[in-house]
Each structure stands twice: as structure tokens, then as C-alpha cells.
Amino acid sequence: MSTPPPADRRTLIADTAIGLVAAAGLRGLTHRAVDGAAELPAGSTSYYFRTRTALIAACYQRLAELDLADVDGGSPPESAPPAPAVTPPDREAAAAALAGLLYRWLTVGRERQLARFELSLEAARNPELQADLHRAGRGARARAAGIAEALGSDRPQEAAELLVAWTEGLLYDRLAGALARSRPAPDLAELADVARRMLAAALADPA
């Protein structure tokens, strides 16, 4: 097996670490475990990411890259159709695009979102990680603000904060909430209705 170049190896390590966190939580995230799961020589992960904090920070960065690629309609895994780019000309198109993202993140992107929740909780407990988490989160909010502005919002930043918060809440509720296991499978039509209501509320003129 050929040795991947350093940039690809960093990505491989981050992707593998994310998978381990999704499967076993942070207790399963060790440098040795990443080496084994990624089929890398012993010591490879610690060479690129000397500390566990650095490894978790790499996970944040990689998660942000993948989520923004989905928002922009980037290249998906082979097992999933491309996510629609969220650059809509009107609210109905925006709702359809948001519903597509939600569906994707509740299905083929499920493990990635679970890992993101786990890692976010770790940052809440560890001040050393908070800057990395905030940096990773700013990209999503900036993209949402641009969409809100294109849709005519007079307060795009406020609309973006609401949309991101509601999206996060919906994902958490359906992936890890108390009723997550008993909910029906994600339905694109139902998610489109939810997305319409989210957009209508976020873009409404303030009282």
C-alpha cells in the first residue's frame, strides 16, 4: 500500500478520529487507536498531532470543512447523492436545500454529526479547545448570514444565528434526544415543511 502524502495523511487521521468518536465517544479516541483504525504505522498520529488536544482540534477543523462542503454542494461520499448547493434564489428553493441538508445529516452524515456533538461537549469542558470550536462554527454562521441576506433579511446575522441554532437543535433531537430511537425514519417532505417554517420565522420582520 502506498504511503499517502502528509496533507492526505492529516486528513486520513482526522477522518479516522471522527469515526472513532462517533462509534465509541471520546473514550475511544487515542493516538494508538487512530493508528490502528487508519492502518498507519505506530506513532503516525502522534507525529502529526502531538497531543490529544491537537488531535481534537483537527477533528473540529475537518468537521467544519465537511459540513461547509455539504452546504456548498461539495463532493459527497459515494454512498450518497450530492447535497444541493444552498445558494437559492427564493425561500422555497432555500427550504428545499435546507431540507436536503437535514436529510443528509440525519442519514449518511449521521455519524459525523454525532461526533460533532461529542466533541462540542468536550470543548465546553476544556478551555484550550474553545477557540478551535468557535473558529469552526463561524464558517457555518457566516454562510447562513449570506443566505439570509440574499433572501431579503434586514438582519442577516440574527437570522443566521436562529437558523443555525434551530438546525443544531433539530439534529440533536433526532439523533441523540430521548425519542431519537423511536422516531420514524427521516422523511424529506416532512423536513421540507420544517425548513419552510424555520425560514419563515428566522426571516420575519422583528416585532
Side-chain angles (χ1 to χ4, degrees), residues 147-169:
I147 293 167
E149 186 173 21
L151 292 170
S153 174
D154 292 330
R155 300 185 179 184
Q157 192 60 48
E158 292 180 18
E161 293 290 340
L162 287 172
L163 284 172
V164 171
W166 290 337
T167 298
E168 294 275 30

Side-chain angles (χ1 to χ4, degrees), residues 23 36 41 48 53 59 67 70-71 78 86 88 90 118 126 129 150 153 160 162 187 192 194 197 201 204:
Y48 289 100
T53 297
C59 291
D67 282 351
D70 282 348
V71 171
E78 293 180 0
V86 186
D90 55 50
E118 188 93 28
N126 185 345
L129 292 167
S153 174
L162 287 172
D187 177 77
V194 170
R197 285 185 279 157

